[in-house]
Amino acid sequence: MNEHIEKKDEKVNFNANELIYSKNWETYRDDEYFEYRKNWSKYPQDRYVSDFPLHLDIETTDLCNLKCPMCSRTIMDQGDDNIIKSKMITKDEYIDIIDQAVKYGVKSIKLQYLGEPLMHKDIIFQVEYAKKQGIIDVMLNTNAVLLDEKMSRNLLNAGIDKLFISFDAVNPK
């Protein structure tokens, strides 16, 4: 096994495969990050409900560049009655959400739900604005089709904390 890949001992979903290349980046995080991560685990275990969530999922766009047969977005988009009217969150809407989130103590955001976040024209601004406003952990899921070298560098320069590449297949190969 590659020396940079950490073995994940916990098994939550036996059908999923996850490779963690390195967690060394966490050694550069401050105490506030580790406090938030402690609460991320502790709150559900203790069945504690805080006054406001630690984390928000923000659907920045419902557009997607794939039509995966198992995806609920693809299924919702089938047939005349269920056509998704594709939208993108505006800069003003996004700023308002982030400003409110910071005001109430949100520590983490994920810029994705059913859509492909890299299709949003403002994705770099979104990451950068959240980081500048004080969101500790900015992440997104992507199918990585649009993740070229330029997009990768722009996301890193904007301050992205975590980027998950997700895809489904019939078998691990």
Side-chain angles (χ1 to χ4, degrees):
M1 185 174 248
N2 186 321
E3 66 188 45
H4 298 289
I5 298 174
E6 297 177 13
K7 186 175 185 297
K8 184 174 180 179
D9 293 327
E10 65 184 83
K11 292 282 187 192
V12 176
N13 181 346
F14 293 102
N15 295 318
N17 291 304
E18 181 179 88
L19 293 177
I20 299 171
Y21 287 94
S22 176
K23 288 189 115 185
N24 290 341
W25 61 271
E26 285 189 324
T27 62
Y28 298 98
R29 301 308 300 253
D30 62 13
D31 290 341
E32 187 179 15
Y33 173 83
F34 290 106
E35 180 67 20
Y36 135 71
R37 291 307 297 173
K38 180 184 86 179
N39 290 337
W40 178 278
S41 297
K42 188 175 184 327
Y43 286 6
Q45 289 172 355
D46 294 349
R47 299 184 195 280
Y48 174 76
V49 178
S50 58
D51 291 334
F52 205 82
L54 286 174
H55 172 85
L56 292 178
D57 286 344
I58 303 171
E59 179 75 293
T60 60
T61 181
D62 63 359
L63 293 171
C64 189
N65 51 349
L66 298 178
K67 294 217 180 275
C68 302
M70 80 301 283
C71 178
S72 57
R73 186 197 180 285
T74 301
I75 294 165
M76 290 185 312
D77 202 18
Q78 292 176 349
D80 294 337
D81 295 337
N82 297 324
I83 294 173
I84 294 176
K85 306 229 182 332
S86 296
K87 298 177 185 153
M88 290 193 187
I89 193 171
T90 67
K91 269 189 179 178
D92 289 340
E93 291 167 333
Y94 181 79
I95 288 168
D96 186 43
I97 290 168
I98 296 301
D99 290 351
Q100 288 183 57
V102 170
K103 177 180 175 183
Y104 291 104
V106 169
K107 305 296 182 194
S108 170
I109 63 168
K110 182 175 70 161
L111 301 174
Q112 183 266 342
Y113 176 60
L114 293 176
E116 170 53 50
L118 299 185
M119 290 189 73
H120 198 295
K121 62 184 174 45
D122 295 329
I123 187 63
I124 302 304
F125 165 81
Q126 292 166 350
V127 171
E128 190 173 58
Y129 186 78
K131 292 304 290 182
K132 284 182 179 176
Q133 294 307 107
I135 300 292
I136 295 171
D137 208 6
V138 178
M139 61 189 91
L140 60 87
N141 286 28
T142 178
N143 59 36
V145 171
L146 300 173
L147 191 62
D148 58 14
E149 184 175 347
K150 180 180 178 186
M151 177 64 78
S152 299
R153 289 189 189 283
N154 287 341
L155 286 167
L156 288 169
N157 291 335
I160 192 79
D161 292 290
K162 296 179 181 120
L163 187 132
F164 303 98
I165 298 172
S166 298
F167 56 90
D168 289 309
V170 177
N171 61 50
K173 286 185 181 181

